[in-house]
Amino acid sequence: MDTRLLRYFAAVAAEGNLTRAAERLYVSQPALTKQVKQLERELGVELFARSKSGMALTGPGRVLADRVPGLLEGWDLTQRAVKAEAARQAKVLRIGFLASAANEATPKIIAGFAKLRPQWRVEMRQSSWSDPTAGLAGGEVDAALVRLPFAGQEHWNLEELLTEPRCVAMEAAHPLAERPVLDFLDLLDEPFVAAPAETGEWRDYWLAVSQRGGHPARIGAVTEHPDDWLSAIANGYGIALAPESASRFYARPGIVYRPVNGIPPTKVALAWPDDPGPVLRDFIETCRAAAR
Amino acid sequence: MDTRLLRYFAAVAAEGNLTRAAERLYVSQPALTKQVKQLERELGVELFARSKSGMALTGPGRVLADRVPGLLEGWDLTQRAVKAEAARQAKVLRIGFLASAANEATPKIIAGFAKLRPQWRVEMRQSSWSDPTAGLAGGEVDAALVRLPFAGQEHWNLEELLTEPRCVAMEAAHPLAERPVLDFLDLLDEPFVAAPAETGEWRDYWLAVSQRGGHPARIGAVTEHPDDWLSAIANGYGIALAPESASRFYARPGIVYRPVNGIPPTKVALAWPDDPGPVLRDFIETCRAAAR
DNA sequence: CTGTATCTATAACGTGAGGTTATGGATGTG
DNA sequence: CACATCCATAACCTCACGTTATAGATACAG
């Protein structure tokens, strides 16, 4: 049996409709029909009841639907364990990060670690903003440079490395761009470029929901990567709160950064799981030293 | 990822050699070479160190080798759960059995159950002797008609249904065939047709190891199915202990059955897992009634 | 040192799987 | 009755997965 077949099955089960599931999976509807029928042949069981209104799970189909997530997770965990061991044997420390990581401290950290562990190499792995843990939650990295606060942060060990004020990024032609300093109240009605909704608390923080006094945020665009984020801002889809360092790391023609009063700063932290090995502990120490 | 790839990987890991693993899997050696390389590409990791003496697992390969049995078992359990639900919904009770099942009591049991649960159907599933639990251990059946004793029987609920003496089956031309009754001591030096070695205690019982006073059994052939067993006996590869009923259920030209003194009888039992549902409980009651 | 055995890897080939587009069949709705 | 929507099949193309043949590397025995 193939994980691809199981993912196809799961999509059909979730959508209740072959046509929509095919769209979600980026395959044609006849391809999906064939694959589902093949899975049913392999098991010798009907998993769906077909009707004009779509595909309803049968009893056995429901049993399979309940177990498939566990199976797929088993696969994922296995791949991660294998890759983690491969990295360990190759003396590679995999560090996830978002956007500008730890700003100027990042090269200091990497250089410091290289001195401490010359046989080892740090591999920086950029994540999208759909995952505020920067790959840590999925086990794709050994530790991560993250931005606080984010949902679930209490599950990780955290070492705050630096704090910086936040500013606002906007297109150069924006009327408010003329003011050298802004107050957050000035921005309440502006459309914002936001992170994906599923990041929950993390997105709320970057929309300064707590400082809005009940004013709902207007969402002009949703982006997951710095490049998309910058494009959306430059194209006037909205403005965005940003770390002050963004003016250095993400300087772009057509985008200006202005200080903002009335919102709390942003903190960069190193996050890691329980029971770090000696190599990761050295990395943690290196981060602490670089943050002083 | 495909279970077929994982099974190929597991075989190579176990054999330490592509050529032998290919033989075990009934594919050609180049096919296996290609599949293993594809798995390594998919994972982006080297799983084996190649050398003239064969394929040795790397560190990541070992991590995968440790996890593959669990993954494959997850697949197997899922298939079984789906099929069990399909059988339940179709009102089919799956009963495993070996050889002649419960002899003449078998049709009585099936008829009795049909009366008790007319909406349900019993599906008799024959197993080979490589599995003394007749499919129960693998979850392929809901209950099974088994022959005691067998290793692991304490893990199941058991209801003894009948006991019968054992006799010896031999080719008609065998010199001992002239005697109407034999003593087991007469058979100590005869080659035997045996069950597979991995059945352990079960095979020992049918070789009457406990009655040999230290004499090792001579093995003339190993078989897993009644037909093979009968052929091996008829062809003179050896003799075999058999239930007395075998003379009725497995009467064949060229084979004779003779009573044997000095060995314990054989018992047929119904075996089932913990927590049987109401339908299975009815079946158990039907078996008890048929055994009185 | 050479020939042989043994092991893995590649080449070339054939069949079938997995995708596509086009279209058919069934059913529900306006 | 026409149209929309859903699943299923037909026909086609590309590539994966198997095969046999053979190459390359290495260890060993004579």
Side-chain angles (χ1 to χ4, degrees):
Chain A
M1 199 163 288
D2 201 307
T3 48
R4 184 178 45 76
L5 276 177
L6 291 190
R7 290 186 212 278
Y8 284 7
F9 165 80
V12 177
E15 293 284 349
N17 176 306
L18 278 167
T19 309
R20 284 202 307 271
E23 283 163 15
R24 178 200 271 202
L25 295 163
Y26 303 101
V27 296
S28 63
Q29 173 264 315
L32 197 49
T33 295
K34 283 207 234 177
Q35 291 297 325
V36 167
K37 274 179 165 282
Q38 180 183 312
L39 181 57
E40 286 178 320
R41 272 197 306 280
E42 277 187 30
L43 288 169
V45 163
E46 277 206 5
L47 302 168
F48 294 100
R50 274 91 164 157
S51 77
K52 183 59 175 66
S53 51
M55 307 277 278
L57 283 168
T58 59
R62 225 169 284 126
V63 168
L64 182 60
D66 286 343
R67 287 172 166 264
V68 153
L71 290 178
L72 294 177
E73 184 173 21
W75 288 117
D76 289 342
L77 288 169
T78 297
Q79 290 201 53
R80 290 195 212 111
V82 168
K83 286 172 178 173
E85 176 59 21
R88 199 191 64 77
Q89 287 213 318
K91 296 184 189 294
V92 169
L93 196 66
R94 301 166 303 161
I95 303 297
F97 73 96
L98 301 169
S100 56
N103 302 339
E104 286 84 1
T106 314
K108 281 171 66 185
I109 292 168
I110 294 174
F113 181 76
K115 236 180 232 174
L116 210 58
R117 291 270 184 174
Q119 300 277 317
W120 280 71
R121 173 170 74 82
V122 171
E123 184 175 289
M124 301 297 288
R125 298 258 185 105
Q126 186 164 24
S127 245
S128 80
W129 294 332
S130 57
D131 180 13
T133 73
L136 201 51
E140 280 114 42
V141 293
D142 301 305
L145 294 160
V146 296
R147 293 260 172 185
L148 307 180
F150 65 89
Q153 70 176 67
E154 62 281 3
H155 293 129
W156 306 103
N157 299 277
L158 298 169
E159 177 78 20
E160 289 186 20
L161 302 182
L162 65 87
T163 301
E164 61 179 315
R166 287 194 285 174
C167 58
V168 62
M170 64 182 64
E171 66 174 329
H174 197 289
L176 291 174
E178 295 176 359
R179 294 166 58 180
V181 173
L182 294 158
D183 200 274
F184 186 66
L185 293 177
D186 297 326
L187 307 176
L188 282 184
D189 293 321
E190 293 291 327
F192 268 68
V193 177
E198 65 261 24
T199 60
E201 187 180 338
W202 199 82
R203 157 172 151 142
D204 289 348
Y205 193 75
W206 289 93
L207 294 173
V209 163
S210 297
Q211 283 72 49
R212 287 176 178 272
H215 269 84
R218 284 180 59 200
I219 309 299
V222 173
T223 63
E224 294 197 20
H225 296 95
D227 283 347
D228 302 335
W229 180 77
L230 290 164
S231 292
I233 294 169
N235 290 334
Y237 290 115
I239 65 173
L241 297 181
E244 186 188 56
S245 56
S247 62
R248 302 193 296 283
F249 283 86
Y250 293 105
R252 288 290 204 279
I255 291 182
V256 299
Y257 297 90
R258 295 287 182 260
V260 176
N261 292 326
I263 51 171
T266 176
K267 295 174 184 175
V268 171
L270 178 71
W272 69 94
D274 286 340
D275 301 318
V279 175
L280 183 50
R281 285 203 293 275
D282 280 354
F283 186 79
I284 295 163
E285 269 317 302
T286 304
C287 289
R288 283 185 176 123
R292 282 193 219 103
Chain B
M1 200 163 288
D2 200 307
T3 48
R4 185 177 46 77
L5 276 177
L6 290 191
R7 289 187 211 279
Y8 284 6
F9 165 80
V12 177
E15 293 285 349
N17 176 305
L18 279 165
T19 309
R20 283 202 308 270
E23 283 164 15
R24 178 199 271 200
L25 295 164
Y26 302 101
V27 297
S28 63
Q29 173 264 316
L32 199 49
T33 295
K34 283 206 234 178
Q35 291 297 324
V36 167
K37 275 180 165 280
Q38 180 183 310
L39 182 57
E40 286 179 318
R41 273 196 305 280
E42 277 187 31
L43 288 169
V45 163
E46 278 208 3
L47 302 168
F48 294 100
R50 275 95 164 149
S51 77
K52 182 58 174 69
S53 50
M55 309 277 278
L57 284 168
T58 59
R62 226 168 284 125
V63 167
L64 183 59
D66 284 345
R67 290 171 163 267
V68 152
L71 290 178
L72 294 176
E73 184 173 22
W75 289 118
D76 288 342
L77 287 170
T78 297
Q79 290 201 53
R80 288 193 213 114
V82 169
K83 286 172 179 173
E85 176 59 19
R88 200 190 64 77
Q89 287 213 317
K91 294 184 190 298
V92 168
L93 196 66
R94 302 166 301 161
I95 303 297
F97 73 95
L98 303 169
S100 57
N103 302 340
E104 286 84 1
T106 314
K108 281 171 66 185
I109 292 169
I110 295 174
F113 181 77
K115 239 184 228 165
L116 210 58
R117 291 268 184 175
Q119 300 278 318
W120 280 72
R121 173 171 73 81
V122 171
E123 185 174 290
M124 300 297 288
R125 299 260 186 103
Q126 186 163 23
S127 246
S128 80
W129 293 331
S130 57
D131 179 14
T133 74
L136 201 53
E140 281 113 41
V141 293
D142 302 304
L145 295 160
V146 296
R147 293 260 172 184
L148 308 180
F150 65 88
Q153 70 175 69
E154 63 279 5
H155 293 129
W156 307 103
N157 300 279
L158 298 168
E159 176 80 18
E160 289 185 21
L161 303 181
L162 63 87
T163 302
E164 62 180 313
R166 287 195 286 175
C167 57
V168 62
M170 64 181 64
E171 66 174 328
H174 197 289
L176 291 175
E178 295 176 357
R179 313 220 334 231
V181 173
L182 294 158
D183 200 274
F184 187 66
L185 293 177
D186 298 323
L187 307 176
L188 283 183
D189 293 320
E190 293 291 326
F192 268 67
V193 176
E198 65 261 23
T199 60
E201 188 180 336
W202 200 81
R203 155 169 152 145
D204 288 350
Y205 192 74
W206 287 94
L207 294 172
V209 164
S210 298
Q211 282 74 47
R212 286 176 180 271
H215 269 82
R218 284 179 61 199
I219 309 299
V222 174
T223 63
E224 295 198 21
H225 296 95
D227 283 347
D228 304 334
W229 180 77
L230 290 163
S231 291
I233 294 168
N235 290 335
Y237 291 116
I239 65 173
L241 296 182
E244 187 188 56
S245 56
S247 62
R248 303 193 296 284
F249 283 85
Y250 292 103
R252 288 287 203 281
I255 291 182
V256 299
Y257 297 89
R258 295 288 182 258
V260 176
N261 292 325
I263 51 170
T266 176
K267 294 175 183 175
V268 170
L270 179 71
W272 69 93
D274 285 340
D275 300 317
V279 175
L280 183 50
R281 285 204 293 275
D282 280 352
F283 185 79
I284 296 162
E285 268 318 302
T286 304
C287 290
R288 281 188 178 120
R292 281 192 219 104

